[in-house]
Amino acid sequence: MFTKPIRWKKLGLFLKPETEKWWSLTHAMIPTPESLGGGLFRVYYSGRNENNQSHIAWADVDLNEPFKVVRYSDGPILCPGDLGCFDDNGVTPSCLIDLENGEKALYYIGWNPGSTVRMHLFGGLAISKDGGQSFQRYSRAPIIERCITDPFLNTAPWVVKSDGEYRMYYVSGCSWLHKDLPRYNIKIARSNDGKMWQRDGHVCIDFKDSSENALARPYVIFEDDIWKMWFAHKGAAYRLSYAESEDGINWDRRDDLSGIDVSNTGFDRDMIEYAAVVSYEGRHFMFYNGNNYGFDGIGLAVEE
């Protein structure tokens, strides 16, 4: 069933945080690309301020050789929410798609500090009605809150269109082992409009064994008549993995087919995670984060 694995060539640290900007002193976390055409991609990411709070911004990059960053946004396009809301301590992008009504939907992670546990994470939605020039929250509440099948954190939504519906692959908490250590896997939700979601608890990617605690940032594409997913998994530290599916619902996991691992030195020697894979002129490109969840920025790898 599995397609030929992609062999990746790393090109190093590609997109760095604008450390002179108050909202981007560190990190360029969770690259979320949007194709602008002609090899140009807008990569949404989150940088952090002096209080370690995430803000969403973007950079335009050119994947025509020589690959380069063209420009950065003038400022954040989405800031932390109102005090007491689910995203009052930070926002991080996870997916951007065009809805059927012409709106752009920016799905994001909302950060909120906890008390009995370290943090709360839920998925939010911001909408653009001007072609991506600006975004406003669809709701100050999360679009995937706790429910009977998902009583813990619910976050990192990745949304695709398929068979007349929207499908969301998202991170769902299973438990907290202690205050600082949640366990979470990857589930699926469905929607008719990309805004209101139904969940039944179906697990797409589960833990391979008891040593694994985190399955993060599902990134899903449909290619060569197969659904393909890249995701991060963590025992001691994050690594990247890969899975395929014929129907987008039932998945076969193959860690050995991710085609990429940590480096011996540099910004991604300790961990590698949060992959985003795009295609241009018959070639695949991967944006990804490294040590400390993207502290130094975003790496780029190309298909050999």
Side-chain angles (χ1 to χ4, degrees), residues 29-292:
M29 184 178 176
I30 305 194
T32 303
E34 175 192 21
S35 176
L36 303 180
L40 291 177
F41 288 81
R42 179 157 293 176
V43 180
Y44 296 81
Y45 64 91
S46 66
R48 301 188 190 182
N49 65 11
E50 62 181 356
N51 296 317
N52 206 37
Q53 295 169 321
S54 297
H55 298 64
I56 297 176
W58 53 257
D60 288 344
V61 304
D62 189 347
L63 295 185
N64 294 286
E65 295 191 56
F67 314 125
K68 58 184 179 293
V69 178
V70 177
R71 67 179 181 125
Y72 289 86
S73 58
D74 293 331
I77 60 157
L78 197 69
C79 295
D82 293 336
L83 182 64
C85 287
F86 78 101
D87 56 358
D88 67 358
N89 202 49
V91 289
T92 296
S94 60
C95 182
L96 189 136
I97 66 168
D98 294 320
L99 299 179
E100 296 295 340
N101 61 5
E103 298 173 339
K104 287 186 180 294
L106 174 62
Y107 299 91
Y108 69 91
I109 300 164
W111 300 80
N112 176 257
S115 54
T116 57
V117 294
R118 177 166 55 93
M119 62 185 177
H120 301 293
L121 297 173
F122 294 101
L125 172 61
I127 295 292
S128 176
K129 297 183 179 181
D130 57 10
Q133 297 301 308
S134 63
F135 288 86
Q136 290 77 39
R137 282 173 172 79
Y138 167 72
S139 169
R140 291 191 295 174
I143 57 168
I144 44 170
E145 244 284 18
R146 296 178 180 94
C147 67
I148 192 169
T149 61
D150 300 301
F152 300 100
L153 60 85
N154 298 278
T155 192
W158 179 261
V159 177
V160 299
K161 303 174 190 175
S162 178
D163 297 329
E165 67 175 1
Y166 295 90
R167 293 178 180 175
M168 175 194 290
Y169 302 90
Y170 67 99
V171 168
S172 172
C174 303
S175 65
W176 285 80
L177 300 183
H178 54 72
K179 181 177 181 177
D180 293 319
L181 185 58
R183 297 193 82 214
Y184 41 87
N185 56 14
I186 296 172
K187 294 183 179 179
I188 190 171
R190 291 180 168 86
S191 172
N192 293 322
D193 60 5
K195 298 175 180 178
M196 305 297 292
W197 294 90
Q198 295 79 45
R199 292 173 278 171
D200 63 10
H202 179 80
V203 176
C204 291
I205 308 290
D206 210 352
F207 309 109
K208 63 181 178 182
D209 55 44
S210 60
S211 69
E212 200 167 60
N213 294 315
L215 304 175
R217 208 290 165 87
Y219 188 97
V220 178
I221 63 173
F222 185 71
E223 184 180 70
D224 302 325
D225 295 322
I226 290 290
W227 290 98
K228 302 178 180 182
M229 180 192 298
W230 287 265
F231 62 96
H233 64 100
K234 181 171 68 173
Y238 269 127
R239 298 292 187 269
L240 286 172
S241 190
Y242 177 77
E244 287 187 356
S245 172
E246 294 181 349
D247 59 10
I249 299 170
N250 301 292
W251 292 80
D252 292 317
R253 174 178 173 174
R254 286 287 300 271
D255 293 352
D256 59 310
L257 296 184
S258 69
I260 194 167
D261 203 347
V262 292
S263 300
N264 293 326
T265 61
F267 82 101
D268 59 352
R269 68 179 181 182
D270 298 324
M271 54 193 289
I272 183 170
E273 70 286 340
Y274 308 149
V277 176
V278 299
S279 297
Y280 174 59
E281 291 192 338
R283 195 179 192 188
H284 291 90
F285 297 79
M286 177 188 286
F287 303 101
Y288 66 94
N289 285 139
N291 305 341
N292 194 16

